[in-house]
Amino acid sequence: PLIANNDLEKQLIADTICIADPYWLFIGRNNNPHGMKGREEHTDSIDHNGGTYHYQVAGSKIWTIRPTEELREMCDEIDIALKGSYVITVEEGDIFVMNTRLWWHQTEIPGTTTTFPCDDNGDSDSKSRGVMMESSSNGCTSSNLSISYARDIYLDGTKPTVGRMHMSTLSGSWATAFIPKGTLFLTEADPPIGRTFNEMEANCELVVGEEKCELVVIRDIKEGEFYVMLESDDTAT
């Protein structure tokens, strides 16, 4: 934990760490005995030095994370060894901080099979945080309700731009390894990749020929980064 022993240290923390206003809310309920996975393994688009912190409001959630090659290279430079992957269980009240651009991640709401004795009204004598009770002939069976939220955290003294979302969970295709500028991919006329109106965010362009379509990488793409082309890009050759 960050502990300030005097006003100077309090000010140093306040000047260094900043938390953005927007909240990302995640709610899920698992009625099955086996785990319920969320979105498939991915990284997020984060354009600031820090990451996100995730607060588990109710229930529990299992994170499976593994480092990107970019993170491994950063850690190699300072002699920090990383495992292939990590599994972290967060419980109600826990805060989990990570840079979701540098870590491949997937979450899961664990299954619950515990049965508690309940009365005729279906009320259980056992109260469990984040657990819903369903009445059955054998008692009350728990159902895992998970509620959490995430917020951007800045660790280098910079401040978020008011009204702008600096972290996004994109839909589309992403690079599973480093892709150098100039790489060509054969693709379809309408590839399942992201679109943007900001020229600075685009990292590839679509070239449509008479017999084939090619996706051209116009700048280096990092592992985990999404393929994005300009919304107005309709270049044909």
Side-chain angles (χ1 to χ4, degrees):
L2 293 172
I3 300 176
N5 296 312
N6 52 56
D7 291 340
L8 181 61
E9 292 180 357
K10 289 181 181 179
Q11 189 59 46
L12 179 61
I13 293 174
D15 292 340
T16 304
I17 299 176
C18 179
I19 298 174
D21 291 331
Y23 286 75
W24 295 78
L25 185 62
F26 304 93
I27 301 176
R29 178 180 175 183
N30 187 4
N31 296 326
N32 300 308
H34 54 272
M36 182 176 70
K37 293 185 181 295
R39 185 181 175 189
E40 62 186 37
E41 185 187 63
H42 63 284
T43 59
D44 296 325
S45 175
I46 296 177
D47 60 3
H48 62 272
N49 183 9
T52 54
Y53 85 84
H54 302 256
Y55 178 67
Q56 191 68 27
V57 178
S60 60
K61 183 181 291 185
I62 300 171
W63 288 76
T64 300
I65 64 174
R66 64 181 180 90
T68 61
E69 286 303 314
E70 178 184 357
L71 180 58
R72 287 189 179 280
E73 292 174 1
M74 294 168 58
C75 291
D76 287 344
E77 292 178 357
I78 54 177
D79 294 325
I80 294 179
L82 296 175
K83 296 180 181 179
S85 63
Y86 301 83
V87 178
I88 303 101
T89 299
V90 292
E91 305 286 352
E92 180 178 324
D94 288 347
I95 295 177
F96 182 43
V97 182
M98 69 181 299
N99 187 324
T100 52
R101 182 182 68 81
L102 294 175
W103 290 90
W104 291 97
H105 57 280
Q106 184 178 40
T107 60
E108 176 181 331
I109 300 177
T112 51
T113 56
T114 306
T115 299
F116 304 98
C118 58
D119 58 26
D120 294 337
N121 296 322
D123 295 327
S124 172
D125 293 331
S126 176
K127 303 299 182 181
S128 179
R129 297 180 301 174
V131 173
M132 302 287 292
M133 299 299 172
E134 294 184 350
S135 180
S136 68
S137 59
N138 296 323
C140 288
T141 302
S142 62
S143 144
N144 199 349
L145 173 68
S146 174
I147 302 176
S148 63
Y149 66 77
R151 298 176 70 183
D152 283 339
I153 184 170
Y154 295 71
L155 302 176
D156 58 359
T158 58
K159 306 294 183 182
T161 303
V162 176
R164 182 184 176 194
M165 302 291 282
H166 285 254
M167 188 272 283
S168 60
T169 301
L170 304 175
S171 296
S173 302
W174 58 84
T176 57
F178 173 79
I179 307 295
K181 177 181 177 181
T183 302
L184 301 177
F185 297 99
L186 292 178
T187 186
E188 55 195 80
D190 185 21
I193 65 174
R195 306 291 200 276
T196 181
F197 291 102
N198 186 342
E199 185 175 354
M200 298 298 294
E201 295 178 351
N203 54 28
C204 58
E205 63 181 6
L206 183 66
V207 179
V208 181
E210 294 182 359
E211 298 182 355
K212 62 181 180 180
C213 298
E214 292 181 329
L215 196 65
V216 183
V217 176
I218 59 177
R219 65 169 174 79
D220 291 348
I221 299 178
K222 298 177 181 179
E223 179 192 7
E225 185 179 353
F226 281 78
Y227 297 105
V228 181
M229 68 182 189
L230 283 175
E231 181 67 32
S232 59
D233 190 358
D234 57 356
T235 306
T237 59

